[in-house]
Amino acid sequence: MSSQDKEVVVLPRRDFLKLSTVLASGLAIGFHWPQLLSSAVAADSAVAAGTPFEPNAWVRVLADNSVKIVAHKHDSGTGTLTALAACVAEELDVDPMQIEVITPENPFFEVYIHPVWKVFSTGGSTSVSLEYDRLRQAGATARALLLAAAAEQWTVSPASCSSQDGRIVHAASGRSASYGDLAEAAAQLPVPEHVALKDPAQFKYIGKLKHKRHAAEKVNGSFRYSIDVTLPGMWVAVIERAPVIGAKVLDVDASAALQVPGVYQVMQVPAHPEVLGGNFEGVAVLAQDYWSAERGRAALQIRWSESRFADFNSAALGAEQATYLESGQAPLVPTIVSGDVEAHWAQAGTLLEADYLMPYKVQNPLEPVCITAWVKDAGISYWGGVQVPSSAGEAAQVVCGIPMENVTINDTVSGGSFGARESKYWLFEVAYLANRTGRPVKLINSRTDEMRSLFGHPATFHRLKGSLDAKGNLSGLQLRAVSPASPEQWEPGYLERPDQMDYSTTEAISPWDFAYRAEHMDIGWVRHETGVPTGWYRSVSFIPNVFAVESFMDELADAAGRDPLEFRLAHMHERPRHVSVLRQAAERAGWGRPQPAGTSLGIATNQAYHSYVAVVAKLVQEQGRIRIDKLTCAVDCGLAVSPGGVEEQIYGGLMWGLGHALFDRMDIQNGRVLQSNFHDYRVARMSDMPEIEIILLQEERDKPGGVGELTSPPVAPAIANALFRLTGDRQRSTPLELAVRTNV
């Protein structure tokens, strides 16, 4: 959306002060999206009517010379706040590291809603790309008003004034004034309809930052995360949840638990099955501290009901999904269709078929899910990593009967998310406990709780069929991606739409992000529900879809006797940025040049979040073992607002992808999750990391693309493709085995 689609609002001082008791005199700049403000009124008319006005103030310049921006996006350690602050700071001519980033007083103001998902949320690698234009515009508008205020006081032309490091300067007379000195006067001026943005050639901060905010505090341990929140009279809670999926509490003997020193109370937590993504039943132990609560939980005697999932085993799921697909009853949602695949098979030359599987996975952020809530004065306040304010508001309404206008969210930077903080169950649980006790309650998951929360990534099954013509070109392609749907709240009404499409399940296999073309194509999603609750996961369906597609493209190239890189490029059309990342990664990795004995390269690529990535994996065989020697990664994400943060996310995504390739696997046996901690759910460690080379391309610098979830999907297929070239062993399921298998 362009700046012409936005209305800039300057708050009069009297209304600005209503936002917060801590604000002093100053200037506030905000954007209203006109199409979302059907119920809103302009500031002046609200004042005339004597009613409070709740604006969306993005930029605040205060009399004490402080500059604040309101960030309605959650930072789970990705550096989002660093990049957002830089967008404002660039146009305002202040050091972004000196800007204070604060959470909104009203987290549910209409302008904060995600324009695509229609909920209040952070995710999908969209934060910086969505906010880039309007935050720059906000900073530029604030600067223009400060320039005008100074020019009016000095009786000079605004064009003769300039901004520099938080001051307005009139070089001809040698006069200058701080932003704080001018803020109140600037707030009284009319808002300019159009303001000029900086020429990117003059950027001081955008595209140049190398460090994240609060890096020093995170290194020295003084930075406060969600788990560090403390409030007066706060109780700490842990919850024992059903050991078998869907089991209910029959009875509880809490006598021993209540004898544990420090334990205050034990109570059952009801389920909310009527809410998609709600919680299951459990028993909470509330205590003075975490370890007392844990000891109390260990002393509980709970009798659980039988469950319909008592016979569910994830090991059999792949066969079940295949049978379902072959039954003819599977509902197909087509994503790409061209030509006539079924008629083409009869006359096709070479035909290939393959099935690909990926298991259940758990997010496992370093800081387990942790949230504090306090029901007080007819409202509820949350402290913690609230990635989805809409879910917090829903929990308040459903569990406590508290309307969203009485919900306060004190968001904190969390120690990772990877989708874990997009689930709902913990918000429902803490709201219930806070409502029942009337106290501030901090709910903490243990690592075992995190492993067994069940709102991780679903197991998936892909069946592919392809044909090659006499020249070795791809002539036909069919794909069936079998998986459950995402929760309805994330694709509202999708079951009622004609296409019944769940776009979060069909990533990388939809027309806008599928890289390849053939005359006959039949690609689609088959919805298969097991009832096992699943949730969000970093890179979501890109992970299994890219694994299947990029592995199968290598299979087709091998059958055609063609180089895998050349084969891919031959079937890309009008994708110059995609071609560029492929060529760059291949060139830097040494593709096409002779490799030492026992060494192989594998390549994979994808597009996501308006960005492009290619990964080349280098494998080396030594003494019967295979190690990953190097990952070469080329990324084109458009403009990198914070290059240091972008490179960190690329690196982290590669490590995350390495985990998919080699370790990530959650097993369910007789309805129980088998894994409980890192000793039996292996994750990538520092010692597992190969050499990493990152090539950051910025071929279209007018707009940033997403990068947080970009680089993990191609890692597993790149490794699998290199394994095949090294050993002749085509592995079609993860985790991959880095061993020379003698039965190949």
Side-chain angles (χ1 to χ4, degrees):
M1 185 170 288
S2 68
S3 60
Q4 285 75 20
D5 296 320
K6 307 183 186 78
E7 174 190 354
V8 180
V9 176
V10 177
L11 305 179
R13 177 171 175 254
R14 57 184 175 275
D15 296 312
F16 177 63
L17 289 172
K18 293 178 183 178
L19 286 173
S20 173
T21 57
V22 302
L23 295 179
S25 299
L27 168 69
I29 306 294
F31 285 132
H32 287 181
W33 298 82
Q35 68 270 33
L36 295 177
L37 292 180
S38 58
S39 62
V41 293
D44 290 340
S45 64
V47 173
T51 57
F53 181 65
E54 296 183 350
N56 169 30
W58 296 99
V59 182
R60 300 176 185 176
V61 181
L62 306 185
D64 63 359
N65 287 317
S66 63
V67 178
K68 305 173 188 284
I69 70 164
V70 178
H72 64 296
K73 296 298 183 183
H74 174 67
D75 192 330
S76 57
T78 59
T80 301
L81 300 186
T82 300
L84 296 181
C87 295
V88 177
E90 186 64 72
E91 299 294 342
L92 194 53
D93 274 332
V94 294
D95 185 341
M97 296 304 175
Q98 301 305 312
I99 288 180
E100 182 181 352
V101 182
I102 61 176
T103 54
E105 289 84 355
N106 176 9
F108 304 108
F109 191 68
E110 290 167 288
V111 74
Y112 297 147
I113 200 165
H114 196 289
V116 178
W117 305 331
K118 307 305 180 187
V119 293
F120 300 95
S121 177
T122 301
S125 297
T126 59
S127 295
V128 177
S129 60
L130 284 176
E131 305 305 325
Y132 177 73
D133 287 334
R134 57 179 172 177
L135 287 181
R136 282 187 65 197
Q137 192 77 22
T141 302
R143 175 179 173 273
L145 286 164
L146 291 163
L147 283 166
E152 186 175 278
Q153 288 184 13
W154 300 331
T155 320
V156 298
S157 166
S160 66
C161 301
S162 62
S163 58
Q164 181 179 347
D165 296 329
R167 300 186 70 83
I168 301 298
V169 177
H170 185 247
S173 64
R175 286 176 290 188
S176 71
S178 71
Y179 286 176
D181 293 338
L182 298 167
E184 187 170 354
Q188 311 306 315
L189 298 176
V191 180
E193 290 188 11
H194 302 288
V195 293
L197 300 181
K198 274 188 181 180
D199 183 332
Q202 298 176 343
F203 282 170
K204 294 170 58 179
Y205 305 114
I206 290 177
K208 302 180 187 302
L209 297 178
K210 292 297 184 182
H211 305 290
K212 289 193 297 190
R213 298 171 65 85
H214 308 300
E217 298 96 313
K218 292 179 179 180
V219 170
N220 65 30
S222 64
F223 189 79
R224 291 177 61 79
Y225 291 92
S226 305
I227 207 165
D228 298 315
V229 170
T230 57
L231 295 171
M234 183 180 74
W235 287 2
V236 175
V238 298
I239 295 180
E240 181 71 8
R241 301 177 182 92
V244 176
I245 301 169
K248 300 180 182 301
V249 177
L250 295 178
D251 55 61
V252 181
D253 181 354
S255 56
L258 292 169
Q259 295 301 310
V260 173
V263 171
Y264 298 135
Q265 195 171 347
V266 174
M267 69 173 71
Q268 289 185 221
V269 179
H272 288 278
E274 77 282 6
V275 181
L276 285 165
N279 63 301
F280 291 99
E281 288 190 19
V283 179
V285 178
L286 298 109
Q288 66 182 8
D289 54 53
Y290 175 76
W291 295 112
S292 298
E294 274 290 279
R295 288 193 294 271
R297 170 160 62 167
L300 288 174
Q301 298 293 319
I302 307 173
R303 193 163 61 93
W304 299 91
S305 72
E306 295 294 326
S307 168
R308 68 183 181 92
F309 290 97
D311 295 326
F312 181 85
N313 294 291
S314 60
L317 184 55
E320 178 185 326
Q321 290 168 319
T323 300
Y324 182 67
L325 180 61
E326 294 159 2
S327 68
Q329 305 301 312
L332 173 66
V333 179
T335 60
I336 303 174
V337 178
S338 64
D340 188 338
V341 166
E342 293 301 332
H344 169 69
W345 297 144
Q347 56 187 3
T350 303
L351 280 173
L352 275 80
E353 293 186 61
D355 293 344
Y356 285 84
L357 295 91
M358 273 195 161
Y360 288 104
K361 303 182 184 74
V362 183
Q363 300 95 342
N364 277 318
L366 184 60
E367 179 190 44
V369 162
C370 173
I371 184 71
T372 301
W374 194 355
V375 175
K376 184 181 180 183
D377 299 330
I380 184 170
S381 296
Y382 296 95
W383 289 262
V386 181
Q387 189 171 341
V388 186
S390 284
S391 294
E394 186 177 24
Q397 291 176 314
V398 171
V399 177
C400 309
I402 295 174
M404 292 180 75
E405 58 263 28
N406 292 345
V407 175
T408 301
I409 297 176
N410 304 280
D411 194 28
T412 66
V413 173
S414 56
S417 174
F418 315 119
R421 286 174 170 82
E422 291 182 271
S423 58
K424 289 184 176 182
Y425 70 94
W426 45 286
L427 290 165
F428 278 64
E429 292 166 344
V430 77
Y432 179 81
L433 296 174
N435 194 45
R436 284 285 304 274
T437 63
R439 290 177 169 272
V441 174
K442 181 197 287 186
L443 173 63
I444 302 177
N445 268 1
S446 69
R447 181 59 57 189
T448 299
D449 294 330
E450 206 80 347
M451 293 280 186
R452 295 176 174 172
S453 69
L454 293 170
F455 290 90
H457 197 271
T460 56
F461 174 89
H462 288 68
R463 175 159 290 172
L464 296 98
K465 186 175 182 179
S467 61
L468 299 167
D469 63 18
K471 296 181 179 180
N473 291 313
L474 179 64
S475 56
L477 181 65
Q478 185 177 71
L479 180 148
R480 297 290 182 262
V482 184
S483 68
S486 63
E488 164 79 4
Q489 82 252 19
W490 296 101
E491 288 286 350
Y494 83 89
L495 288 175
E496 285 70 49
R497 294 200 302 261
D499 60 7
Q500 293 195 346
M501 183 69 69
D502 178 2
Y503 293 107
S504 64
T505 305
T506 56
E507 295 164 319
I509 57 171
S510 293
W512 47 86
D513 53 17
F514 189 76
Y516 310 109
R517 292 295 179 266
E519 182 180 355
H520 303 280
M521 299 180 70
D522 176 17
I523 296 175
W525 164 54
V526 173
R527 183 180 180 186
H528 177 258
E529 300 289 351
T530 64
V532 174
T534 55
W536 299 107
Y537 195 79
R538 186 183 191 184
S539 304
V540 201
S541 63
F542 280 108
I543 299 165
N545 292 342
V546 171
F547 175 60
V549 169
E550 287 300 299
S551 297
F552 194 62
M553 286 298 290
D554 252 52
E555 293 203 51
L556 290 164
D558 180 66
R562 297 172 67 176
D563 176 80
L565 171 62
E566 182 271 328
F567 185 78
R568 283 172 169 80
L569 295 175
H571 295 95
M572 285 185 175
H573 302 285
E574 298 180 357
R575 300 177 71 85
R577 294 173 67 188
H578 209 151
V579 167
S580 182
V581 296
L582 267 167
R583 291 194 183 280
Q584 287 282 345
E587 172 64 26
R588 294 287 281 271
W591 192 275
R593 297 195 290 271
Q595 297 294 323
T599 302
S600 69
L601 302 178
I603 196 166
T605 186
N606 69 278
Q607 173 192 343
Y609 320 109
H610 305 289
S611 299
Y612 302 83
V613 59
V615 172
V616 177
K618 178 182 178 182
L619 271 57
V620 176
Q621 181 176 332
E622 297 174 330
Q623 299 178 344
R625 294 291 301 173
I626 299 169
R627 63 177 172 85
I628 302 167
D629 185 68
K630 183 178 180 180
L631 296 177
T632 303
C633 178
V635 166
D636 179 3
C637 61
L639 172 65
V641 172
S642 174
V646 166
E647 289 187 8
E648 285 185 5
Q649 288 304 294
I650 292 172
Y651 191 98
L654 294 172
M655 186 171 186
W656 187 253
L658 190 71
H660 300 325
L662 304 182
F663 309 117
D664 283 308
R665 181 188 189 97
M666 183 185 80
D667 298 298
I668 301 173
Q669 184 174 313
N670 297 328
R672 296 172 180 260
V673 176
L674 297 185
Q675 288 80 8
S676 63
N677 212 310
F678 290 134
H679 70 285
D680 53 8
Y681 189 105
R682 178 84 153 80
V683 296
R685 302 169 181 166
M686 292 178 68
S687 59
D688 297 313
M689 288 304 294
E691 179 186 352
I692 300 290
E693 181 178 6
I694 295 171
I695 305 105
L696 185 57
L697 310 176
Q698 299 182 66
E699 297 196 354
E700 292 188 8
R701 295 179 59 87
D702 61 326
K703 183 83 173 179
V707 73
E709 302 173 88
L710 176 67
T711 57
S712 62
V715 176
I719 294 172
N721 293 337
L723 272 170
F724 175 75
R725 298 185 81 184
L726 185 64
T727 66
D729 181 9
R730 173 61 65 181
Q731 297 189 37
R732 299 188 179 94
S733 63
T734 61
L736 304 170
E737 295 182 27
L738 291 187
V740 180
R741 301 200 296 201
T742 58
N743 60 342
V744 175

